[in-house]
Amino acid sequence: MKLFDVYPLQDITIDKARGAWVWDTAGRKYLDMYGGHAVISIGHTHPHYVKRVTAQLKKIGFYSNSVHMPIQEELAEKLGKVSGKPDFQLFLCNSGAEANENAFKLASFATDRKKVVAFTGAFHGRTSLAVAATDNAKIVAPVNETDHIIRLPFNDTEALKQCFSKQGKEIAAVITEGIQGVGGIQVATDKFLQQIRKLCDTHGAVFIADSVQCGYGRSGRFFSHDFSGVRADIYSVAKGMGNGFPVAGILVAPHLKPWHGMLGTTFGGNPLACAAALAVLEVLENENLMENATAISKYLTDELSQFSGIREIRGQGLMIGLDMPAEMGSLRQELLSKQGVFTGEAKPNVIRLLPSLALTRQEAGVFLKKFGAAYQTIHKSILTQTGG
Ligand SMILES: Cc1ncc(COP(=O)(O)O)c(C=O)c1O
């Protein structure tokens, strides 16, 4: 059997990783400023993480959700503490899309309504209603098309007010990322998030904070939505939660009440996933990684702002977008193939930096040096082409 060919691939095979570094099968070392797509939160193969997951595997890897699982309770307790949401309830699942699907379902059950407000530039996953809420017609299959989604312009408080004044009684939920990732590192304004909170309160709708990419400490706060001082009703989490182990969840405000059969999952919250998620939170706390993300972010953005060719630097913490002019479109490939640096991208010309939150100042310095070299190469080739 062949693999279903769904991704354009770099001709690289990674088979070893440590901290912010990965190695290919030929032994070449790369700096991972991409974090395997914002997934690596505490660093690759962190010793505490490896130890905790290995110990759990030796004890028991899986049992179904039909029995008590103290490790789930331990995770809920720890996550409540580290995230600053000790009064919330935790439902565990396996991926970001699944977390958002459960958030929609819960909001719809709670309000007995069908409409979900989602925004331009949003990405919420590839399944059912999550993909319908995602602003990319190309990945919405006919079977996913629905009139349950109301699409509004991102960061537009007036459009939001108008929509609620017309359709407030039909709206089950509003979903937004605190920082749009796939949408090109666009930060939601405080005013926008506060307006969502206000309108949801007035009209009895549920505020879903998609924190799959911007959450789990990446922004320097546990949830990037925290910067605006708002408290959402549901936070969806995944990616950094397991540092590579597939684990996700929704944090649910106390006023949303569960009933048996409302939500469910086979694999969600299995002991191995919980061990991985606990290891992440322990390291996040013990190594002060949110503070580190803030400090390294400042160093990176201060230094990067010296490059006059970068049109705009956006983001918070270690979720940074470098908006490049179209003629510098090959910079990302130059970084990878010549400088050995993985970065992410967003269309049309944004380089996304999503490294481990444990990135050191020295490693950030290595990145800046390599970035400078790649930038100079591209800059020179533009000058040559234009005869400048
Ligand atoms: C903001 C956001 N929400 C949801 C998802 C979907 O997560 P998953 O790929 O784990 O289903 C992603 C994935 O990139 C994301 O960035």
Side-chain angles (χ1 to χ4, degrees):
M1 197 191 292
K2 285 199 303 185
L3 290 174
F4 201 52
D5 185 12
V6 289
Y7 298 111
L9 300 179
Q10 296 287 348
D11 192 15
I12 298 173
T13 307
I14 299 296
D15 77 342
K16 199 178 94 176
R18 187 78 198 223
W21 301 91
V22 296
W23 286 260
D24 70 11
T25 41
R28 186 176 181 208
K29 186 180 177 186
Y30 300 80
L31 180 60
D32 186 8
M33 295 295 287
Y34 177 48
H37 203 86
V39 166
I40 299 303
S41 46
I42 60 166
H44 291 278
T45 61
H46 190 290
H48 176 67
Y49 174 87
V50 173
K51 199 171 147 202
R52 215 185 199 295
V53 176
T54 308
Q56 183 59 50
L57 185 56
K58 285 184 180 159
K59 229 169 124 195
I60 180 169
F62 182 80
Y63 203 73
S64 99
N65 277 310
S66 61
V67 295
H68 286 293
M69 263 192 249
I71 196 166
Q72 288 185 354
E73 279 153 37
E74 194 188 340
L75 175 57
E77 178 80 24
K78 184 85 183 167
L79 181 51
K81 180 172 167 254
V82 179
S83 69
K85 307 275 178 281
D87 52 335
F88 276 48
Q89 312 150 83
L90 177 64
F91 173 74
L92 289 160
C93 54
N94 311 283
S95 71
E98 199 189 341
N100 285 332
E101 291 295 346
N102 280 290
F104 294 139
K105 220 175 146 176
L106 181 46
S108 177
F109 272 134
T111 58
D112 199 23
R113 298 175 187 171
K114 293 181 183 168
K115 301 268 188 214
V116 171
V117 174
F119 299 99
T120 51
F123 188 91
H124 299 299
R126 292 173 179 273
T127 56
S128 191
L129 201 58
V131 79
T134 290
D135 185 19
N136 181 354
K138 198 177 145 201
I139 63 168
V140 179
V143 74
N144 303 126
E145 286 168 12
T146 169
D147 59 5
H148 293 337
I149 302 295
I150 303 171
R151 175 88 48 218
L152 296 180
F154 185 59
N155 272 340
D156 185 337
T157 50
E158 278 312 308
L160 201 60
K161 275 194 233 167
Q162 275 173 28
C163 172
F164 266 94
S165 70
K166 274 198 217 129
Q167 286 175 279
K169 284 197 174 67
E170 298 166 70
I171 298 169
V174 178
I175 184 166
T176 188
E177 296 151 85
I179 308 168
Q180 292 186 336
V182 177
I185 314 291
Q186 302 287 354
V187 182
T189 63
D190 291 350
K191 197 175 145 209
F192 182 62
L193 296 175
Q194 288 156 4
Q195 189 68 62
I196 294 175
R197 180 65 280 167
K198 203 168 152 198
L199 289 166
C200 283
D201 284 342
T202 311
H203 297 269
V206 174
F207 181 176
I208 304 171
D210 182 335
S211 302
V212 168
Q213 188 165 150
C214 60
Y216 248 82
R218 179 154 294 284
S219 69
R221 302 285 291 269
F222 195 86
F223 294 115
S224 76
H225 302 74
D226 292 345
F227 284 101
S228 66
V230 302
R231 197 169 123 113
D233 300 305
I234 302 179
Y235 294 86
S236 54
V237 290
K239 291 198 190 289
M241 184 175 188
N243 199 45
F245 198 99
V247 55
I250 49 175
L251 281 72
V252 180
H255 69 89
L256 294 167
K257 305 284 182 217
W259 40 264
H260 290 168
M262 180 193 228
L263 308 177
T265 166
T266 297
F267 293 125
N270 68 77
L272 269 185
C274 290
L278 274 161
V280 167
L281 290 172
E282 285 153 1
V283 173
L284 208 64
E285 203 176 39
N286 295 342
E287 298 184 9
N288 301 316
L289 294 190
M290 289 193 261
E291 291 82 347
N292 187 62
T294 305
I296 301 297
S297 172
K298 178 156 179 8
Y299 172 47
L300 282 172
T301 50
D302 283 354
E303 295 294 320
L304 287 166
S305 62
Q306 314 288 322
F307 291 86
S308 57
I310 303 178
R311 292 201 319 185
E312 195 182 7
I313 303 174
R314 296 189 291 265
Q316 279 163 328
L318 289 176
M319 185 165 181
I320 300 171
L322 310 177
D323 199 336
M324 305 304 300
E327 64 270 22
M328 296 207 90
S330 53
L331 180 60
R332 186 169 166 259
Q333 197 54 41
E334 176 76 16
L335 272 168
L336 180 61
S337 47
K338 299 282 169 35
Q339 299 296 330
V341 179
F342 274 100
T343 59
E345 68 170 340
K347 302 274 184 267
N349 273 310
V350 178
I351 293 181
R352 269 194 288 171
L353 305 180
L354 304 159
S356 147
L357 309 184
L359 190 78
T360 63
R361 192 181 160 92
Q362 188 265 336
E363 287 161 343
V366 171
F367 167 71
L368 288 166
K369 226 167 149 191
K370 287 173 175 281
F371 183 87
Y375 181 95
Q376 286 310 330
T377 304
I378 304 296
H379 193 60
K380 268 191 208 137
S381 81
I382 296 169
L383 289 179
T384 312
Q385 279 162 28
T386 55

